Amino acid sequence: MGKKGRLIEDIDTDQIFHNAFLHITELRQMGQYALGNLEGWKDFPGKTGPGDIIIAGRNFGAGSSRQQAVDCFKSLQTGMIIAPSFGAIYFRNAVNSGFPVMKCSKLADLIAGGLLKSGDKIRVNIRTGEGQNQTRKEAFFIEPMNEVQYNLWEVGGLFSYAKKTKKD
Amino acid sequence: MGATFSEKVLGAKAGKKVKAGEVVTVSPDYILSHDNTAAISQKFAQLGVDKVKCPDKIIIILDHVVPASTEKYAQNHKIIREFVEKQGISNFFDIHNGICHQVLSESGFALPGKLILGADSHTTSYGAFGAFSAGIGRSEVASVWATDKIWLRVPDTIKIELKGSFARGTFAKDAILKIIGEQGADRANYKALEFCGRAVKDLTLASRLVFANMAAEMGAKNGYFAPDSRALDFLKQHARTDFKPVFSDSDAEYEAVLKYDLSILEPQVACPHTVDNVKPITEVEGIKFHQGLIGTCTNGRFEDLKVAADILRDKKIHPAVRVLILPASRKEFLKALKKGIIEVLAEAGCVILNSGCGPCLGAHQGILAPGETALSTANRNFQGRMGSRDSKIFLASPATVAASALTGKITDPRKYL
């Protein structure tokens, strides 16, 4: 995300989901506050739809361990987030939620090269990392999910996984 | 090839030799949560498990919004107290104890070689005592309560060698800000930081806590100091259980070695709105601010309050600023109280708050209005963190905040020490 093809870096968890709403525990109520504290993106929840893919700059989700910063996107049924890197705890939270966060170190090059633009229709294979830009008929690559991430994603997150292990 | 501290601790827990990059499933020694225990207990209920697996591993400390500022927070605290009762959790610390990272440390849970996980990003703090400690998410905590298991990726390690001793007016806070400023807020993402070098033996445990606490602001999974006689002497008095110190092998493999000389360090200030936007104080001197905050889990211990009092003794804070004192714990508050430090700070015009997180995360007790600026000893200055998104936060050492409180603008503390 960003204007004129420049990705915003270091989007922190305070910008993604502000402290003022941390008391909210219901997933469906969280979406309306997603990116509410990020300059120029306050209207994001009204503009996004299910399956949308968010492209962001490095260190997305830096900072606090608050899980609402992941859950707010699940609430909006965001498809996945692709960034060159993520805040460490943010990445864990997303993996554990079964929400696809995907790394792509070459993201800035793809955008600078015009291979990826806001509004493009893209498909990504999370197992192989193969990406297709259907709008521009271009192929690209991201890092595929590792084994742990894929296993948790497949069952719908740590919770379903823990329930399953409990039964086994 | 030898192993790093992190490889050894996680390897011992996994019951095999492990290398950085491997993912292991382990059972932690302690799991910390705070006011977010209310939400975690709701998540736990969804798992369909009645009882937590190991109640003695669970540590719950109420600190984020204490005493409760609204009915919603009061209700959350009530849910937590009932949960604690029902689950037979003995390591529960109610609102009067202080900030979780200080309380857990001073209560002797932060022990060498232990694996401590917490639903708070600054759980990295306990590396000051030689523990492997890392922040995790809420769902994970609920899951660990139920299963006593968690997956962790063994981190690569960056070694940070510190040499020299602090020049007048500079402190641990200045050093870690300098390091984060140069290396960047994501330099250590998913990695461990090992603080070592000749300077370490002279660092107080309170100062080591500053480094380990702020390792999180470089993105680190954990921060680590090898436990030395200073740490072990403290633990002799305070340790809750037996422990076995774990050290990196001399031929362990590091991702990078960074070297810093403390003796050439100037006071540092992190400018809005990221912790790595760091400048030497000479470049930001004179910037006016409205609210000073001295305290928090980063810089709210006795030595921090004392240096502030040394600067503010027999003086008054500038009429255009307000200064909040937020001790890291009741114990640290009492130490300062008995030494007359709290009196000096109150006489100078500071507001003495009860120990907790309150203003640091903009929860209550000192929210910033639009257009206001804070100068704080906390660990984070993200936009809007202390209140209005149109406010600014600068981060500095307690000495810098105290000296600046006298003038109403950012001031070099070396003029007052």
Side-chain angles (χ1 to χ4, degrees), chain A residues 144-158:
Chain A
M145 282 190 179
N146 68 37
E147 209 54 36
V148 174
Q149 190 181 7
Y150 181 77
N151 290 342
L152 289 173
W153 173 82
E154 202 180 21
V155 296
L158 186 67

PDB file of all heavy atoms in Angstrom, chain A residues 144-158:
ATOM      1  N   PRO A 144       7.292 -19.170  -0.510  1.00  0.00           N
ATOM      2  CA  PRO A 144       6.161 -20.016  -0.125  1.00  0.00           C
ATOM      3  C   PRO A 144       6.052 -20.161   1.386  1.00  0.00           C
ATOM      4  O   PRO A 144       6.981 -19.834   2.108  1.00  0.00           O
ATOM      5  CB  PRO A 144       6.507 -21.358  -0.769  1.00  0.00           C
ATOM      6  CG  PRO A 144       7.971 -21.343  -0.978  1.00  0.00           C
ATOM      7  CD  PRO A 144       8.383 -19.902  -1.150  1.00  0.00           C
ATOM      8  N   MET A 145       4.916 -20.655   1.843  1.00  0.00           N
ATOM      9  CA  MET A 145       4.745 -20.907   3.282  1.00  0.00           C
ATOM     10  C   MET A 145       5.687 -22.021   3.728  1.00  0.00           C
ATOM     11  O   MET A 145       5.897 -22.982   2.982  1.00  0.00           O
ATOM     12  CB  MET A 145       3.317 -21.362   3.567  1.00  0.00           C
ATOM     13  CG  MET A 145       2.301 -20.254   3.588  1.00  0.00           C
ATOM     14  SD  MET A 145       0.733 -20.902   4.217  1.00  0.00           S
ATOM     15  CE  MET A 145      -0.262 -19.410   4.168  1.00  0.00           C
ATOM     16  N   ASN A 146       6.222 -21.906   4.941  1.00  0.00           N
ATOM     17  CA  ASN A 146       6.985 -23.034   5.476  1.00  0.00           C
ATOM     18  C   ASN A 146       6.011 -24.069   6.036  1.00  0.00           C
ATOM     19  O   ASN A 146       4.792 -23.841   6.079  1.00  0.00           O
ATOM     20  CB  ASN A 146       8.036 -22.574   6.489  1.00  0.00           C
ATOM     21  CG  ASN A 146       7.421 -22.026   7.768  1.00  0.00           C
ATOM     22  OD1 ASN A 146       6.393 -22.526   8.244  1.00  0.00           O
ATOM     23  ND2 ASN A 146       8.024 -20.991   8.322  1.00  0.00           N
ATOM     24  N   GLU A 147       6.554 -25.185   6.475  1.00  0.00           N
ATOM     25  CA  GLU A 147       5.722 -26.320   6.863  1.00  0.00           C
ATOM     26  C   GLU A 147       4.753 -25.984   8.012  1.00  0.00           C
ATOM     27  O   GLU A 147       3.567 -26.284   7.943  1.00  0.00           O
ATOM     28  CB  GLU A 147       6.656 -27.483   7.274  1.00  0.00           C
ATOM     29  CG  GLU A 147       6.086 -28.855   7.048  1.00  0.00           C
ATOM     30  CD  GLU A 147       5.614 -29.078   5.614  1.00  0.00           C
ATOM     31  OE1 GLU A 147       6.251 -28.562   4.678  1.00  0.00           O
ATOM     32  OE2 GLU A 147       4.581 -29.762   5.445  1.00  0.00           O
ATOM     33  N   VAL A 148       5.294 -25.335   9.039  1.00  0.00           N
ATOM     34  CA  VAL A 148       4.460 -25.007  10.213  1.00  0.00           C
ATOM     35  C   VAL A 148       3.326 -24.085   9.793  1.00  0.00           C
ATOM     36  O   VAL A 148       2.164 -24.281  10.143  1.00  0.00           O
ATOM     37  CB  VAL A 148       5.307 -24.310  11.302  1.00  0.00           C
ATOM     38  CG1 VAL A 148       4.422 -23.850  12.451  1.00  0.00           C
ATOM     39  CG2 VAL A 148       6.388 -25.229  11.808  1.00  0.00           C
ATOM     40  N   GLN A 149       3.716 -23.069   9.036  1.00  0.00           N
ATOM     41  CA  GLN A 149       2.730 -22.077   8.613  1.00  0.00           C
ATOM     42  C   GLN A 149       1.630 -22.732   7.782  1.00  0.00           C
ATOM     43  O   GLN A 149       0.438 -22.473   7.973  1.00  0.00           O
ATOM     44  CB  GLN A 149       3.439 -20.978   7.802  1.00  0.00           C
ATOM     45  CG  GLN A 149       2.563 -19.778   7.508  1.00  0.00           C
ATOM     46  CD  GLN A 149       3.287 -18.720   6.686  1.00  0.00           C
ATOM     47  OE1 GLN A 149       4.409 -18.937   6.228  1.00  0.00           O
ATOM     48  NE2 GLN A 149       2.659 -17.582   6.497  1.00  0.00           N
ATOM     49  N   TYR A 150       2.064 -23.624   6.869  1.00  0.00           N
ATOM     50  CA  TYR A 150       1.082 -24.272   5.998  1.00  0.00           C
ATOM     51  C   TYR A 150       0.151 -25.188   6.796  1.00  0.00           C
ATOM     52  O   TYR A 150      -1.069 -25.163   6.618  1.00  0.00           O
ATOM     53  CB  TYR A 150       1.794 -25.066   4.890  1.00  0.00           C
ATOM     54  CG  TYR A 150       0.812 -25.725   3.953  1.00  0.00           C
ATOM     55  CD1 TYR A 150       0.156 -24.984   2.985  1.00  0.00           C
ATOM     56  CD2 TYR A 150       0.514 -27.084   4.074  1.00  0.00           C
ATOM     57  CE1 TYR A 150      -0.776 -25.575   2.142  1.00  0.00           C
ATOM     58  CE2 TYR A 150      -0.419 -27.676   3.242  1.00  0.00           C
ATOM     59  CZ  TYR A 150      -1.062 -26.920   2.274  1.00  0.00           C
ATOM     60  OH  TYR A 150      -1.981 -27.505   1.457  1.00  0.00           O
ATOM     61  N   ASN A 151       0.751 -25.958   7.720  1.00  0.00           N
ATOM     62  CA  ASN A 151      -0.065 -26.870   8.532  1.00  0.00           C
ATOM     63  C   ASN A 151      -1.123 -26.127   9.332  1.00  0.00           C
ATOM     64  O   ASN A 151      -2.255 -26.564   9.459  1.00  0.00           O
ATOM     65  CB  ASN A 151       0.827 -27.671   9.489  1.00  0.00           C
ATOM     66  CG  ASN A 151       1.683 -28.679   8.746  1.00  0.00           C
ATOM     67  OD1 ASN A 151       1.389 -29.010   7.601  1.00  0.00           O
ATOM     68  ND2 ASN A 151       2.748 -29.141   9.380  1.00  0.00           N
ATOM     69  N   LEU A 152      -0.728 -24.981   9.893  1.00  0.00           N
ATOM     70  CA  LEU A 152      -1.678 -24.206  10.696  1.00  0.00           C
ATOM     71  C   LEU A 152      -2.729 -23.557   9.805  1.00  0.00           C
ATOM     72  O   LEU A 152      -3.908 -23.487  10.163  1.00  0.00           O
ATOM     73  CB  LEU A 152      -0.941 -23.148  11.529  1.00  0.00           C
ATOM     74  CG  LEU A 152      -0.119 -23.707  12.688  1.00  0.00           C
ATOM     75  CD1 LEU A 152       0.710 -22.614  13.342  1.00  0.00           C
ATOM     76  CD2 LEU A 152      -1.019 -24.358  13.736  1.00  0.00           C
ATOM     77  N   TRP A 153      -2.287 -23.076   8.649  1.00  0.00           N
ATOM     78  CA  TRP A 153      -3.226 -22.454   7.712  1.00  0.00           C
ATOM     79  C   TRP A 153      -4.265 -23.478   7.248  1.00  0.00           C
ATOM     80  O   TRP A 153      -5.461 -23.198   7.176  1.00  0.00           O
ATOM     81  CB  TRP A 153      -2.449 -21.888   6.513  1.00  0.00           C
ATOM     82  CG  TRP A 153      -3.354 -21.377   5.442  1.00  0.00           C
ATOM     83  CD1 TRP A 153      -3.982 -20.168   5.385  1.00  0.00           C
ATOM     84  CD2 TRP A 153      -3.772 -22.094   4.266  1.00  0.00           C
ATOM     85  NE1 TRP A 153      -4.749 -20.073   4.268  1.00  0.00           N
ATOM     86  CE2 TRP A 153      -4.637 -21.243   3.554  1.00  0.00           C
ATOM     87  CE3 TRP A 153      -3.478 -23.357   3.752  1.00  0.00           C
ATOM     88  CZ2 TRP A 153      -5.235 -21.617   2.345  1.00  0.00           C
ATOM     89  CZ3 TRP A 153      -4.069 -23.727   2.550  1.00  0.00           C
ATOM     90  CH2 TRP A 153      -4.933 -22.861   1.860  1.00  0.00           C
ATOM     91  N   GLU A 154      -3.778 -24.683   6.981  1.00  0.00           N
ATOM     92  CA  GLU A 154      -4.637 -25.727   6.430  1.00  0.00           C
ATOM     93  C   GLU A 154      -5.797 -26.070   7.362  1.00  0.00           C
ATOM     94  O   GLU A 154      -6.920 -26.272   6.914  1.00  0.00           O
ATOM     95  CB  GLU A 154      -3.779 -26.981   6.182  1.00  0.00           C
ATOM     96  CG  GLU A 154      -4.354 -27.920   5.175  1.00  0.00           C
ATOM     97  CD  GLU A 154      -3.463 -29.137   4.965  1.00  0.00           C
ATOM     98  OE1 GLU A 154      -2.635 -29.426   5.858  1.00  0.00           O
ATOM     99  OE2 GLU A 154      -3.599 -29.770   3.917  1.00  0.00           O
ATOM    100  N   VAL A 155      -5.517 -26.101   8.670  1.00  0.00           N
ATOM    101  CA  VAL A 155      -6.592 -26.466   9.608  1.00  0.00           C
ATOM    102  C   VAL A 155      -7.350 -25.246  10.105  1.00  0.00           C
ATOM    103  O   VAL A 155      -8.300 -25.364  10.870  1.00  0.00           O
ATOM    104  CB  VAL A 155      -6.062 -27.266  10.819  1.00  0.00           C
ATOM    105  CG1 VAL A 155      -5.494 -28.595  10.377  1.00  0.00           C
ATOM    106  CG2 VAL A 155      -5.041 -26.474  11.610  1.00  0.00           C
ATOM    107  N   GLY A 156      -6.916 -24.060   9.704  1.00  0.00           N
ATOM    108  CA  GLY A 156      -7.628 -22.847  10.113  1.00  0.00           C
ATOM    109  C   GLY A 156      -7.055 -22.200  11.355  1.00  0.00           C
ATOM    110  O   GLY A 156      -7.757 -21.490  12.068  1.00  0.00           O
ATOM    111  N   GLY A 157      -5.785 -22.483  11.649  1.00  0.00           N
ATOM    112  CA  GLY A 157      -5.125 -21.784  12.749  1.00  0.00           C
ATOM    113  C   GLY A 157      -4.831 -22.664  13.945  1.00  0.00           C
ATOM    114  O   GLY A 157      -5.261 -23.823  14.020  1.00  0.00           O
ATOM    115  N   LEU A 158      -4.093 -22.079  14.857  1.00  0.00           N
ATOM    116  CA  LEU A 158      -3.604 -22.791  16.038  1.00  0.00           C
ATOM    117  C   LEU A 158      -4.736 -23.394  16.870  1.00  0.00           C
ATOM    118  O   LEU A 158      -4.606 -24.450  17.458  1.00  0.00           O
ATOM    119  CB  LEU A 158      -2.791 -21.812  16.894  1.00  0.00           C
ATOM    120  CG  LEU A 158      -2.079 -22.385  18.102  1.00  0.00           C
ATOM    121  CD1 LEU A 158      -0.976 -23.332  17.655  1.00  0.00           C
ATOM    122  CD2 LEU A 158      -1.480 -21.266  18.928  1.00  0.00           C
TER     123      LEU A 158
END
